[in-house]
Amino acid sequence: MFHIILYQPEIPPNTGNVIRLCANVGVRLHLLRPLGFDLSAAQLRRAGMDYAEIADVRIHENLPNCIASLERNDDGSPARLFALSTRGTTRHDQPRYQAGDAFLFGPESRGLPAEVLDGIAEERRIRLPMRPECRSVNLSNTVAVVAFEVWRQLGFVGGV
Protein backbone atom coordinates (compact mmCIF):
# COMPACT_ATOMS: atom_id res chain seq x y z
CA MET A 1 0.00 0.00 0.00
CA PHE A 2 0.99 3.60 -0.50
CA HIS A 3 -0.65 6.89 0.45
CA ILE A 4 -2.21 9.80 -1.41
CA ILE A 5 -2.39 13.08 0.52
CA LEU A 6 -4.49 16.02 -0.66
CA TYR A 7 -3.38 19.25 0.99
CA GLN A 8 -6.42 21.49 1.51
CA PRO A 9 -8.40 20.31 -1.54
CA GLU A 10 -10.85 22.86 -2.91
CA ILE A 11 -13.01 21.28 -5.61
CA PRO A 12 -15.50 18.55 -4.63
CA PRO A 13 -15.54 16.67 -7.96
CA ASN A 14 -11.73 16.38 -7.96
CA THR A 15 -11.74 14.94 -4.45
CA GLY A 16 -14.61 12.62 -5.36
CA ASN A 17 -12.66 11.35 -8.36
CA VAL A 18 -9.61 10.76 -6.16
CA ILE A 19 -11.73 8.85 -3.61
CA ARG A 20 -12.97 6.59 -6.38
CA LEU A 21 -9.44 6.13 -7.74
CA CYS A 22 -8.03 5.26 -4.32
CA ALA A 23 -10.79 2.69 -3.78
CA ASN A 24 -9.98 1.08 -7.14
CA VAL A 25 -6.21 1.08 -6.62
CA GLY A 26 -6.40 0.07 -2.95
CA VAL A 27 -4.50 2.98 -1.42
CA ARG A 28 -5.25 5.16 1.58
CA LEU A 29 -6.36 8.73 0.98
CA HIS A 30 -5.54 11.47 3.47
CA LEU A 31 -7.36 14.82 3.32
CA LEU A 32 -5.81 17.81 5.10
CA ARG A 33 -7.98 20.56 6.54
CA PRO A 34 -9.24 23.05 5.82
CA LEU A 35 -11.28 21.44 3.08
CA GLY A 36 -12.79 23.79 0.50
CA PHE A 37 -16.16 22.00 0.73
CA ASP A 38 -18.45 20.02 3.00
CA LEU A 39 -17.88 16.27 2.74
CA SER A 40 -21.59 15.83 2.17
CA ALA A 41 -21.56 18.07 -0.91
CA ALA A 42 -23.69 16.64 -3.71
CA GLN A 43 -20.87 17.01 -6.26
CA LEU A 44 -18.52 15.03 -4.03
CA ARG A 45 -21.08 12.25 -3.60
CA ARG A 46 -21.75 12.10 -7.34
CA ALA A 47 -18.07 11.92 -8.19
CA GLY A 48 -16.93 9.34 -5.71
CA MET A 49 -18.64 8.99 -2.38
CA ASP A 50 -20.52 5.90 -3.53
CA TYR A 51 -17.06 4.37 -3.14
CA ALA A 52 -16.72 5.67 0.43
CA GLU A 53 -17.58 2.26 1.86
CA ILE A 54 -14.56 0.65 0.20
CA ALA A 55 -12.21 3.65 0.18
CA ASP A 56 -9.90 4.20 3.14
CA VAL A 57 -10.17 7.97 3.72
CA ARG A 58 -8.63 9.74 6.71
CA ILE A 59 -9.01 13.42 7.57
CA HIS A 60 -6.24 15.30 9.39
CA GLU A 61 -6.00 18.75 10.90
CA ASN A 62 -2.56 19.42 9.40
CA LEU A 63 0.38 17.90 7.54
CA PRO A 64 2.48 17.00 10.62
CA ASN A 65 -0.44 15.01 12.08
CA CYS A 66 -0.92 13.25 8.77
CA ILE A 67 2.75 12.34 8.43
CA ALA A 68 2.81 11.06 12.02
CA SER A 69 -0.10 8.74 11.16
CA LEU A 70 1.72 7.00 8.30
CA GLU A 71 2.97 3.49 8.98
CA ARG A 72 6.66 2.88 9.26
CA ASN A 73 8.40 0.75 6.66
CA ASP A 74 9.43 -2.83 7.43
CA ASP A 75 12.88 -1.64 8.51
CA GLY A 76 11.36 0.89 10.95
CA SER A 77 12.18 3.93 8.83
CA PRO A 78 9.46 6.53 8.28
CA ALA A 79 7.44 6.57 5.07
CA ARG A 80 9.07 8.50 2.25
CA LEU A 81 7.18 11.65 1.29
CA PHE A 82 7.07 12.82 -2.32
CA ALA A 83 5.52 16.14 -3.34
CA LEU A 84 3.91 16.77 -6.71
CA SER A 85 4.54 20.22 -8.08
CA THR A 86 5.06 22.04 -11.33
CA ARG A 87 8.17 23.31 -9.51
CA GLY A 88 9.40 19.75 -9.04
CA THR A 89 12.76 18.77 -10.49
CA THR A 90 12.33 15.01 -10.95
CA ARG A 91 9.99 13.43 -13.50
CA HIS A 92 7.33 11.28 -11.80
CA ASP A 93 8.47 8.04 -13.43
CA GLN A 94 12.14 8.33 -12.41
CA PRO A 95 12.15 7.38 -8.69
CA ARG A 96 11.90 3.72 -7.68
CA TYR A 97 8.86 3.66 -5.42
CA GLN A 98 8.21 1.27 -2.56
CA ALA A 99 5.26 0.23 -0.47
CA GLY A 100 4.57 2.80 2.24
CA ASP A 101 5.54 5.84 0.15
CA ALA A 102 3.29 8.89 0.42
CA PHE A 103 2.45 11.40 -2.31
CA LEU A 104 1.43 14.96 -1.43
CA PHE A 105 -0.66 17.05 -3.83
CA GLY A 106 -1.47 20.74 -3.38
CA PRO A 107 -4.76 22.59 -3.69
CA GLU A 108 -6.10 23.20 -7.17
CA SER A 109 -5.83 26.99 -7.23
CA ARG A 110 -2.33 27.46 -5.85
CA GLY A 111 -0.40 24.21 -5.47
CA LEU A 112 1.71 23.42 -2.44
CA PRO A 113 2.93 26.41 -0.42
CA ALA A 114 6.66 27.13 -0.69
CA GLU A 115 7.19 26.39 3.02
CA VAL A 116 5.73 22.89 2.56
CA LEU A 117 7.64 22.20 -0.64
CA ASP A 118 10.89 23.50 0.88
CA GLY A 119 10.56 20.90 3.66
CA ILE A 120 10.76 18.03 1.17
CA ALA A 121 14.04 16.83 -0.29
CA GLU A 122 14.57 18.18 -3.80
CA GLU A 123 14.83 14.70 -5.36
CA ARG A 124 11.39 13.91 -3.90
CA ARG A 125 9.76 16.96 -5.50
CA ILE A 126 8.33 15.33 -8.58
CA ARG A 127 6.43 16.62 -11.59
CA LEU A 128 4.51 15.37 -14.58
CA PRO A 129 6.00 16.20 -17.96
CA MET A 130 3.90 18.65 -19.95
CA ARG A 131 4.24 21.10 -22.77
CA PRO A 132 6.03 24.33 -21.76
CA GLU A 133 3.13 26.61 -22.69
CA CYS A 134 0.83 24.80 -20.20
CA ARG A 135 0.44 25.77 -16.56
CA SER A 136 -0.67 22.54 -14.86
CA VAL A 137 -2.63 19.30 -15.11
CA ASN A 138 -5.96 18.83 -13.31
CA LEU A 139 -5.50 17.54 -9.75
CA SER A 140 -7.48 14.31 -10.09
CA ASN A 141 -5.75 13.53 -13.40
CA THR A 142 -2.34 14.12 -11.81
CA VAL A 143 -3.20 11.83 -8.90
CA ALA A 144 -4.32 9.14 -11.37
CA VAL A 145 -1.12 9.31 -13.43
CA VAL A 146 1.07 9.09 -10.34
CA ALA A 147 -1.03 6.42 -8.60
CA PHE A 148 -0.93 4.11 -11.60
CA GLU A 149 2.83 4.60 -12.04
CA VAL A 150 3.45 3.75 -8.39
CA TRP A 151 1.06 0.79 -8.52
CA ARG A 152 2.73 -0.43 -11.74
CA GLN A 153 6.14 -0.31 -10.08
CA LEU A 154 4.71 -2.28 -7.13
CA GLY A 155 3.46 -4.99 -9.51
CA PHE A 156 -0.23 -3.98 -9.39
CA VAL A 157 -0.50 -5.75 -6.02
CA GLY A 158 -4.13 -6.60 -5.28
CA GLY A 159 -5.30 -5.86 -8.83
CA VAL A 160 -6.90 -8.22 -11.32
Side-chain angles (χ1 to χ4, degrees):
M1 176 193 288
F2 56 96
H3 305 270
I4 300 295
I5 305 168
L6 299 185
Y7 184 94
Q8 302 177 358
E10 300 167 328
I11 301 174
N14 279 336
T15 300
N17 288 339
V18 173
I19 289 169
R20 185 176 187 149
L21 172 76
C22 288
N24 278 283
V25 173
V27 301
R28 184 169 295 145
L29 174 62
H30 302 266
L31 302 177
L32 303 184
R33 293 188 191 275
L35 306 179
F37 48 84
D38 183 323
L39 283 174
S40 64
Q43 292 176 336
L44 183 65
R45 282 195 314 274
R46 273 196 302 275
M49 285 307 285
D50 56 331
Y51 279 77
E53 294 176 8
I54 57 174
D56 186 353
V57 180
R58 314 271 171 103
I59 300 172
H60 305 277
E61 292 302 316
N62 54 50
L63 184 57
N65 288 353
C66 177
I67 292 170
S69 78
L70 302 177
E71 299 91 11
R72 292 201 160 287
N73 295 317
D74 291 341
D75 64 2
S77 63
R80 297 186 307 168
L81 182 62
F82 292 85
L84 274 290
S85 174
T86 57
R87 295 168 279 161
T89 55
T90 302
R91 206 173 66 200
H92 79 288
D93 61 338
Q94 297 304 303
R96 294 300 104 204
Y97 300 118
Q98 57 193 29
D101 286 346
F103 300 86
L104 177 63
F105 299 82
E108 293 91 338
S109 67
R110 62 191 187 280
L112 289 168
E115 62 272 10
V116 170
L117 203 53
D118 290 346
I120 297 170
E122 188 173 343
E123 68 274 8
R124 292 194 184 149
R125 298 179 208 165
I126 58 179
R127 64 178 289 128
L128 295 185
M130 66 179 129
R131 296 178 55 114
E133 66 272 12
C134 295
R135 191 180 67 231
S136 64
V137 176
N138 171 275
L139 173 65
S140 62
N141 291 336
T142 301
V143 173
V145 169
V146 171
F148 274 91
E149 174 60 21
V150 175
W151 198 28
R152 182 193 68 78
Q153 287 189 26
L154 299 176
F156 295 111
V157 173
V160 292

